[in-house]
Amino acid sequence: MKTLRRLLAATTAAAVTAVLALVPVGAAQAAEEVYPAPSSGYWTVDGRGWGHGRGMSQWGSQGAALQGVPAHRILSFYYPGTNQHFLGNPRVTVALTRYAPTSSVTVWSPRGRTIRMGGISAEQILPAGRWTVTVSGGTVTAQRRAHGDPTGPVTETRTYTGALNTTVLRFESCTGATVSTCDQGGMVVAPSSTSTTGRWYRGDLQIVPTGSGGGAGFDVRNGVFMEDYLRSVVPRESPASWEYAALEAQSVAARSYAWHKVVNGNPLCDTTACQVYFGRGDANAAGDVTEPYEHARTDEAIRRTGGTVLYYGGRIAFTEFSSNNGGWTTASDVAYQVAKEDPWTGPSAPRTTWEQRLTVAAVEQSCPSGGKLRNLVVVSRTGLGPLGGRVTRARLECTTGNREISTPAFGMYSSWWKPRPTTPVLGSPAISATTTAPGQPVVLGVTPNVSMSWTLTVRDTSTGRVAQTVTGSATVGVRFNAGWDTSYSPRAVGVSPYVGPGVYELTLVGKDATGKTTAPVVRRVTVTKPADPPRVAAVPLVPNAGYVALPPKRLLDTRTTFQSLGAGQRVDLTVLGREGIPTTGVSAVVLNVTMVTPTTDGHLRIWPAGSNLPNASAVNTTGRRTQASLVTVGVGGQGKVSLWNAAGTTHYLVDVLGYYTTSLTTSSRYLAAQAPVRAADTRSGGPLTATTPLTVDVAAALGQPAGSISAATVNVTTTRAGGNGYVVAYGSGALPPTSTVNHMPGADVANRAVVPVVNGKVTVALRGAPAHVVVDVTGWYAARGATTGAVFTPVQPSRLLDTRSGRPLGAGETRSLTVTGGVVPNGATALVGTLTAVEQTAPVTHARVWPAGLPLTPTSDLNSGSGRTQSNTVVVRPGTGGAVQLYNDAGQSDLILDAVGYFR
């Protein structure tokens, strides 16, 4: 903080070209902005922020702390999805760049302390004194003068020999004459034998010959414990007078940043290229501190957070930070550095907003071959915040050719800047409302500085899809309104003409007669949820049905119909007569329902239309995470099922996999496996990729004739994913436009599926990043018309267990639950339900469910971890006493079990 933090390499006037990475920030991109080189020789530039804006804003952290926000919430906001871990107090080595390379230094001990010096593991404890160090090749020479006497005679000379680029000589100080008194108190180092002031560093000093400077060069390194290192770093980064919460957040971020560099093989240094590190303080020739660089308040903040670092996905997080992000954080290619508005970096903080002159001379230093600048072209911005957001790429059009530069600052405070308009501008933007109801128009009013055509684009922020585009023209100086009536295009048949609830981004761009475009005017509008439809009449649920498997087909994708669900909103979905489901004789349907990028943690409840809202969930997920779950649900009134969203807004997908029918001669009965059978596990070889599907021989795994199986109930688990993607389990033939499991790196994800079996086999295909796949078979359906097996009866979804009302399951704990005698009758041969894990404490864990009286099943039913609410369908036989056993693998987990039907 005392120096500008984390500036990009391209922030100087002598910026260089760079290959740009694609960073998904979820906002509309502005058109190119062309700024001809002005005859005045400069532009007046408005800008925001100080530094790159990635990770924590130091001034934002202080702003949050002043509002009473604790350090852990500050860190969670700036590094979302990270978890705190205890690192301990490892020893680190810091390259002291002010002495790297050098040809001579002088070191002495602090007042009242002896010196321990020598080669590694060959040190000796000597009286206090001043030692001047020089190097020739791999030989280090140390000459002693009396302590506190820079100009005194040399009284002793010692030499040490070793290999280049290794520590040949090491110094540390002690309080006495034995090694046990050497307590990391540190040493003082100065650049000259006559220096009367030096820098006191805790830990030890290491002399490392480098062979540079004709063999006389060497580096000085400081070996120090992490917590002592932070005592100098934290007050250099954040003023010690700041609130403790801000200092604690800085301590954790600095500790994590340093450890990330260490574990990734990058050396620590003492400048802004790493973190500013001045040691304990300046000291005089007598070894007394004259100017301290540590402070009691930052020491206390470090103590309070002792050893705490941030992890993401099991690895140390790259916790970058900058002085001031200008009100918006900047995204990068790591998942926890996201672009979002920062409510704590306020206008009163230094450099939140600023004005500077950007000279043509400063820009054209980057022209190829010393050319003269013709045009400065802003190619792209983040589109986030005022001025159109940060500049992500600029093009210099020069007399000698063009050059593109990423995130340019040209010596200014940040890459968030904009020259005052000499191109078309949409001035004085104002929006009529930031919240509206479906069917209620919103207008965005602006005044153009030239005549222009304009385009208003409305985008669903949760999916990035364009809902509507409106065009028009405007006259110079005449204010106009670009309006949106909350409709979407093209409209879906039989669906509301208005978009569902959520946040929509309106982007207005103008273009003048020469083709120059304005910076976009971007505003966000929240559309509220509509009224729920009238409740249909309930119908009795039909028992004793057989199963008919269908090729997976997509019944609904609200991303294309823009019919997201809001908090507490219900919709009724017609299932009979669609995608192969008959109009009559259907007892229940088997669906795969996916929540897509919900805005917050939540769940869906799904039940027969017309019945009361159940207290049982069907699909559970966390904010911004796409999650699928198998759902078996009885068909309600008018051939419909109801869906209800608990919190936030979410899009959802509904895929049909099959149905249960009262026509037992044309359907299949269910047979439960004695224990789950592992039919495929790619971990014994290479991961599944998008190029080659996996054929799984279900019949062979079960030991059944191929012709005796019409469908199988499988648990598909993805693990060790290389990135985001999805897996589809299906019978055979062309890949269906559906998904079974949506996988992501750093997490095992499982989902149950009922899959048609063709010639005894099923197919598993992948799209997206490679992942390993495990397929467990828990049961199968006999050939159609066979009389062997059980029939299905749906029930109103009902909660059988919720350990949150008692105590969670501990690591390795098994708990018994009686499931029959209520909604599931005595004599049922299998329970069909939804198992959900919440509030897990372990990063990775799993749950298993199996019949009571049998040994622990060897396969998992639900894979989850901390910060990840997860659910999956289970089909399990009641065991002894009508009970099932539930097992939690690691940490503590609350488990919820809901019944949706049963076989008998």
Side-chain angles (χ1 to χ4, degrees), residues 605-820:
R605 303 182 193 181
I606 304 173
W607 71 101
S611 301
N612 293 328
L613 174 70
N615 67 344
S617 59
V619 188
N620 292 262
T621 191
T622 50
R624 308 305 303 173
R625 180 166 177 262
T626 297
Q627 177 65 42
S629 187
L630 182 70
V631 177
T632 301
V633 56
V635 177
Q638 298 182 9
K640 298 179 178 181
V641 297
S642 294
L643 299 91
W644 181 86
N645 178 39
T649 60
T650 186
H651 281 285
Y652 60 99
L653 317 176
V654 180
D655 301 326
V656 59
L657 306 181
Y659 62 92
Y660 287 95
T661 175
T662 54
S663 176
L664 298 181
T665 59
T666 60
S667 60
S668 302
R669 296 174 181 247
Y670 180 75
L671 297 101
Q674 182 68 21
V677 177
R678 181 141 296 173
D681 188 343
T682 65
R683 291 174 297 183
S684 60
L688 188 62
T689 67
T691 57
T692 306
L694 174 68
T695 299
V696 181
D697 194 332
V698 171
L702 292 170
Q704 298 293 321
S708 68
I709 303 176
S710 64
T713 302
V714 297
N715 196 54
V716 182
T717 305
T718 58
T719 184
R720 305 176 191 172
N724 293 325
Y726 65 92
V727 167
V728 186
Y730 61 104
S732 64
L735 180 73
T738 59
S739 62
T740 302
V741 180
N742 299 81
H743 61 264
M744 61 183 183
D748 296 345
V749 184
N751 190 24
R752 198 82 59 180
V754 181
V755 187
V757 175
V758 179
N759 296 324
K761 299 179 176 63
V762 301
T763 303
V764 179
L766 177 144
R767 290 294 180 266
H772 281 285
V773 175
V774 179
V775 180
D776 297 321
V777 185
T778 58
W780 72 96
Y781 292 86
R784 292 191 181 186
T787 58
T788 302
V791 291
F792 178 73
T793 297
V795 300
Q796 174 75 354
S798 302
R799 184 139 293 174
L800 302 179
L801 172 70
D802 188 342
T803 64
R804 292 175 297 183
S805 61
R807 63 176 180 84
L809 272 73
E813 181 180 352
T814 296
R815 195 171 298 177
S816 181
L817 174 68
T818 300
V819 295
T820 60

